[in-house]
Amino acid sequence: MAGYKRILVGLDLSEESSQILEKAGEISRAFAAEVSLAHVIEPLTFAYGGDIPMDLSEVQEQLQTQAREQLSKAAQRLDVPTERQHVILGQPATEIHRLADELEADLIIIGSHGRHGLALLLGSTANGVLHGAGCDVLAVRVQSE
């Protein structure tokens, strides 16, 4: 197996993200690979379909600022420099694929909550990333903390 050189880690910034970071750290050390972190925020207009008669841009900016702060804290665990920390606005699976291509990542690491039933039927970010990636994808099974 060829070694990995560039790893993109997609985080949802939940408490379980530490489990994904731990696995990413193990793999990056084993292959002496460069790690980039990404968190994708869906625009509020996607979630509410423009049905709210108010400007959500300030709220969206606050969400992005908070995400940058949380991602920065997560990055400290693996010594990931600021230029490899990405907070992106868009659809998660699509943006992770785009960023992986842009960074020429050869491995994407994401968390999988292992949901069943309706969540499986509707799909998930992990499933979307897995089925559209141009490189290897590792779905780390996370346990509720």
Side-chain angles (χ1 to χ4, degrees), residues 24-88:
E26 291 171 12
I27 293 170
S28 69
R29 286 187 295 276
F31 291 105
E34 174 182 284
V35 174
S36 295
L37 303 179
H39 174 70
V40 182
I41 301 171
E42 288 194 74
L44 292 173
T45 53
F46 283 11
Y48 297 105
D51 292 339
I52 298 178
M54 61 188 286
D55 183 9
L56 297 173
S57 59
E58 189 173 319
V59 175
Q60 191 77 61
E61 286 177 30
Q62 289 175 351
L63 289 172
Q64 287 177 266
T65 299
Q66 290 173 349
R68 277 189 211 90
E69 291 169 3
Q70 288 181 286
L71 193 64
S72 178
K73 287 178 186 171
Q76 290 174 6
R77 293 183 61 159
L78 299 180
D79 294 321
V80 176
T82 305
E83 63 270 12
R84 291 202 315 261
Q85 299 172 32
H86 307 274
V87 174
I88 305 164

